[in-house]
Amino acid sequence: MTSNPSPRPRIHQTHPHDSPHFHSTVSERKIRRFNCFIFVFRLAGFCFSLSAAVFLIATKPDSPHWYDFGAFRFVVAANGIVALYSLFEMVASAWEISRGSTIFPQLFQVWFDFGHDQVFAYVLLSANSAGTEMARQLRGTATCDVFCIQSDIAVALGFAGFLFLMISALLSGFRVACFIINGSRFHV
Amino acid sequence: MTSNPSPRPRIHQTHPHDSPHFHSTVSERKIRRFNCFIFVFRLAGFCFSLSAAVFLIATKPDSPHWYDFGAFRFVVAANGIVALYSLFEMVASAWEISRGSTIFPQLFQVWFDFGHDQVFAYVLLSANSAGTEMARQLRGTATCDVFCIQSDIAVALGFAGFLFLMISALLSGFRVACFIINGSRFHV
């Protein structure tokens, strides 16, 4: 059906950026590998952020709670938001790998991904740094028992989540640059 | 002198990336504007980081000192390092505007700029977030007088410095992407 006899061939009805059929087999494979990388980093970021939030929330009834400390509220909120966002981005990434096109129009998608990655990476780092300082302060007080260890582990998990989100931000930033320079999110 | 009769023209003796003479006048103007933007952001980042560090260091003799608090030591160190780095990058940027070539070879320069921008932006944000949490903690104690206000202002200045470093990181990240895609740090 490629040689359509009508004067306006069908391929022009879709935006050229949304069609993945302009690439050779080698390029297709490279793009797929790139997208799989993004998916893996999203998955890792999701796991670490979710476990950080859960670890801080799940306290024993007689110990202090995360909502008693401003910094830990920030840590739980930031990790929770990042976990939700990573889940959405995993779906978007899986969609792109399976169908070869983005959920939103490409221009919106690349900027959406990069903007959120960058902002959430900074928010998560900020929350984890504040949480670290809070945990440091807490270590000197009398109430520091299991909760102290728990908060240390939660913050460490949060930093791991940040690491993967940071790498995702670099990859999606590269896609934005490709889009600006080439007019396509692909660099090959 | 463009039509050199010798079989190996002189222009091949320099690496093509280091020569700025392949661009039209419009492109030259765009590149110059881009470099001027970078210079302005570096200058702003330098001013804010330096003032943040100085603001926290310059305490009255009878008040608490920045080196008594772990988080404030981190704030002073991070802002000091960023101020020094911004100063160096200002020189590099001015060099590039005036001479049209980078101080280091281009490949090294773009990765050096981007890597340091990205890492220092994260370090500065982390330091400022920890400093904010420390300042919040300090507000409840008895020793909170002029030093408390001083630390608040220093942290706010540090956040402003981070903002400009973040923008510089975006710009230098774009240059790296240009280099990967086009083989040149210019996008035009």
Side-chain angles (χ1 to χ4, degrees):
Chain A
M1 294 293 284
T2 49
S3 60
N4 197 321
S6 95
R8 296 181 68 195
R10 282 191 64 218
I11 197 132
H12 281 185
Q13 288 172 11
T14 59
H15 195 270
H17 297 160
D18 294 334
S19 167
H21 302 298
F22 290 135
H23 301 283
S24 69
T25 319
V26 177
S27 304
E28 286 258 16
R29 210 178 305 145
K30 274 188 184 172
I31 290 164
R32 181 176 275 269
R33 206 191 306 153
F34 189 78
N35 286 336
C36 287
F37 263 124
I38 291 180
F39 182 82
V40 168
F41 287 123
R42 299 283 184 206
L43 179 67
F46 169 74
C47 294
F48 280 112
S49 319
L50 188 69
S51 41
V54 167
F55 226 90
L56 206 48
I57 289 173
T59 40
K60 286 193 296 181
D62 55 340
S63 78
H65 291 96
W66 59 276
Y67 45 75
D68 300 332
F69 307 93
F72 291 152
R73 283 201 296 271
F74 188 19
V75 171
V76 168
N79 277 293
I81 290 170
V82 167
L84 275 179
Y85 168 71
S86 295
L87 191 64
F88 168 76
E89 283 290 341
M90 271 163 62
V91 173
S93 188
W95 177 292
E96 194 171 337
I97 292 168
S98 62
R99 307 208 180 185
S101 68
T102 50
I103 293 185
F104 302 126
Q106 191 178 213
L107 170 70
F108 182 73
Q109 181 82 52
V110 291
W111 281 107
F112 177 90
D113 291 353
F114 175 61
H116 284 81
D117 281 354
Q118 196 74 13
V119 168
F120 285 150
Y122 285 132
V123 169
L124 195 57
L125 179 66
S126 180
N128 289 324
S129 301
T132 308
E133 185 54 34
M134 186 74 238
R136 260 172 54 96
Q137 299 281 320
L138 215 64
R139 210 167 296 154
T141 62
T143 56
C144 182
D145 55 345
V146 180
F147 182 68
C148 229
I149 300 165
Q150 215 170 344
S151 59
D152 281 353
I153 295 174
V155 165
L157 287 169
F159 273 117
F162 158 74
L163 204 72
F164 288 106
L165 188 58
M166 189 194 73
I167 298 169
S168 302
L170 289 179
L171 294 178
S172 62
F174 183 65
R175 287 195 353 157
V176 166
C178 286
F179 191 81
I180 294 173
I181 297 164
N182 288 345
S184 155
R185 68 186 186 280
F186 309 117
H187 64 291
V188 283
Chain B
M1 295 294 285
T2 49
S3 59
N4 198 320
S6 96
R8 295 182 69 194
R10 281 191 64 219
I11 198 134
H12 281 187
Q13 289 173 9
T14 60
H15 194 270
H17 297 159
D18 294 334
S19 166
H21 302 298
F22 290 134
H23 301 281
S24 68
T25 319
V26 178
S27 303
E28 287 259 17
R29 210 179 305 147
K30 274 188 184 173
I31 290 164
R32 180 175 276 269
R33 208 191 304 153
F34 189 80
N35 285 336
C36 288
F37 263 123
I38 291 180
F39 181 81
V40 169
F41 287 122
R42 299 281 184 208
L43 180 66
F46 170 73
C47 294
F48 279 111
S49 319
L50 187 69
S51 40
V54 168
F55 226 90
L56 206 49
I57 289 173
T59 40
K60 284 192 299 180
D62 56 340
S63 78
H65 291 96
W66 60 277
Y67 46 75
D68 300 331
F69 306 94
F72 291 152
R73 282 201 295 271
F74 188 18
V75 171
V76 168
N79 277 294
I81 290 169
V82 166
L84 275 180
Y85 168 70
S86 296
L87 190 64
F88 167 76
E89 283 291 341
M90 271 163 61
V91 173
S93 188
W95 178 290
E96 195 171 336
I97 292 169
S98 62
R99 307 210 182 181
S101 68
T102 51
I103 293 184
F104 302 125
Q106 191 179 211
L107 170 70
F108 183 74
Q109 181 82 51
V110 291
W111 281 107
F112 178 90
D113 291 353
F114 175 61
H116 284 82
D117 281 356
Q118 196 75 11
V119 168
F120 285 150
Y122 285 130
V123 169
L124 194 57
L125 179 66
S126 182
N128 289 324
S129 300
T132 308
E133 185 54 35
M134 187 72 238
R136 260 172 53 96
Q137 299 280 321
L138 215 64
R139 210 167 296 152
T141 63
T143 55
C144 182
D145 54 345
V146 180
F147 181 68
C148 230
I149 300 166
Q150 215 171 344
S151 59
D152 282 352
I153 295 174
V155 166
L157 287 170
F159 273 116
F162 159 73
L163 204 72
F164 288 107
L165 189 57
M166 188 193 75
I167 298 170
S168 302
L170 289 179
L171 294 179
S172 61
F174 184 66
R175 288 198 349 162
V176 167
C178 286
F179 191 81
I180 293 172
I181 298 165
N182 289 344
S184 153
R185 68 185 187 279
F186 309 118
H187 64 292
V188 282

